Amino acid sequence: MTVTTARWLRRPLPRPAARVSLVCFPHAGGAAAFYTPWARLLPPGVELVAVQYPGRQDRLGEPPAETMDELAGAVAAVLRADRPDRDLVLFGHSMGAAVAWETALRLEASGPGPRHVFVSGRPGPGRQRSEDVHLRDDDGLAAELRHLGGTHADLLDEPEIRAVLLPSVRADYRLIETYRPDTGARLRCPLGAFTGDRDGKATEADLAAWRTATSGAFTGRVLPGGHFYLVPQARQVVTAVLAACDVAPPVAHPVLP
C-alpha cells in the first residue's frame, strides 16, 4: 500500500485475500471509524475499507477538501491504485452518499467501475435542497448535530472538543451545501438507496429520486429510524448490501451461556 493510499483508507479488520472491498464514505464531520463495527459483519471474502477524509482525527493537520471535485477525484485516484484486482462496492451515508456517487462516476469514466453503489440518508441529485448550516455560528452548528443525532451531545458540551471537531464539520457542510450535482449524470452499475422512516433529511420521495442517477438497476429500502438509522440497523443494512451484491453474509453463531 502506498503512503497516499494509507492516508485515505482504513482497514479495521484487514483481509488481504478478500475479493471484494466494501468502501464506505462517512457523513459530514464523520470519520472512517464510524464504520468500524461493520467489519465483523462481513464474510471472509469481503473487506471493509473506510475512507478517511482530510481535516479530522489522524489527518487533523491537513486542510479539509473544499469542493466535491477535489474530494471525489482524490478518492477515485486512491481506489484505482489500491487493489486493482478487486471488485468495489461503494456505500455512503448523508454527505458520503454524494461523495460515493461522484467517486463512482469518476471510476466509470476512466476504467472499470464499481460492482454496485449504495447511497443512504441523502436526497437524489435532482432533489438537493438549499441549506446554509455552514454559515451558522458554533452554537447553531452544534445544535444541528444534536438534532441529527450523529454526535454525542456530551462531546459538543466540551469547549476543547468543540474547538477540534467543529472546523471539519463546518468545512464538510460548506462542501456539500455548495455542491451542485450534474443531474444528467448516470452510473452504469446498479444503485441501491436506503433511508430511515423518520429521516426528515431524506424522505421516501427523496430516496426514489436516486432512480434517475443510474441507468442500471435500482432498489430502495426504508428502515426504522431517523437520520442515523444505520447505527442500530447496522446488521440489516450490511445484510441487504451483501444480498444485493449476491454475497452471502457470515453465519451468525449462537451465544452460549
Side-chain angles (χ1 to χ4, degrees):
M1 182 187 295
T2 66
V3 173
T4 299
T5 302
R7 275 209 336 266
W8 283 90
L9 305 179
R10 302 290 177 270
R11 291 176 159 86
L13 187 59
R15 289 173 170 163
R19 301 301 300 169
V20 177
S21 291
L22 174 58
V23 184
C24 294
F25 296 74
H27 52 281
F34 177 78
Y35 291 103
T36 295
W38 288 25
R40 297 190 182 279
L41 301 177
L42 299 175
V46 181
E47 182 182 48
L48 179 75
V49 179
V51 178
Q52 184 78 310
Y53 306 143
R56 69 218 62 219
Q57 294 190 338
D58 56 347
R59 301 189 69 183
L60 191 62
E62 301 176 47
E66 295 185 357
T67 66
M68 180 63 75
D69 188 59
E70 176 189 349
L71 183 56
V75 178
V78 166
L79 291 177
R80 287 189 207 104
D82 180 48
R83 298 283 194 273
D85 58 333
R86 285 190 184 181
D87 286 346
L88 297 179
V89 175
L90 309 188
F91 181 100
H93 178 65
S94 198
M95 181 184 95
V99 184
W101 183 66
E102 290 283 354
T103 299
L105 288 171
R106 285 159 176 76
L107 290 172
E108 286 191 342
S110 61
R115 178 171 170 179
H116 211 123
V117 174
F118 295 92
V119 292
S120 165
R122 181 166 179 81
R127 287 180 66 92
Q128 178 169 287
R129 299 182 181 89
S130 177
E131 295 184 287
D132 60 359
V133 175
H134 73 281
L135 297 177
R136 299 178 189 176
D137 62 15
D138 284 356
D139 287 341
L141 192 56
E144 175 72 6
L145 297 181
R146 289 191 184 95
H147 172 69
L148 294 178
T151 303
H152 293 298
D154 55 347
L155 295 181
L156 297 172
D157 291 334
E158 296 292 335
E160 297 83 0
I161 295 177
R162 276 174 55 139
V164 172
L165 176 66
L166 290 186
S168 64
V169 174
R170 188 179 303 282
D172 286 354
Y173 270 91
R174 182 184 303 111
L175 183 154
I176 198 62
E177 290 177 347
T178 58
Y179 160 60
R180 298 294 179 263
D182 178 358
T183 56
R186 301 284 185 275
L187 290 176
R188 296 190 297 273
C189 69
L191 177 68
F194 295 85
T195 194
D197 62 2
R198 299 188 303 279
D199 186 357
K201 294 287 187 179
T203 65
E204 290 190 47
D206 293 330
L207 186 78
W210 280 104
R211 185 182 301 276
T212 61
T214 183
S215 59
F218 173 81
T219 56
R221 182 163 180 177
V222 180
L223 292 169
H227 190 61
F228 282 93
Y229 75 92
L230 71 170
V231 175
Q233 302 284 346
R235 185 174 294 276
Q236 290 87 335
V237 174
V238 170
T239 298
V241 167
L242 294 174
C245 298
D246 199 25
V247 176
V251 176
H253 297 288
V255 178
L256 300 177

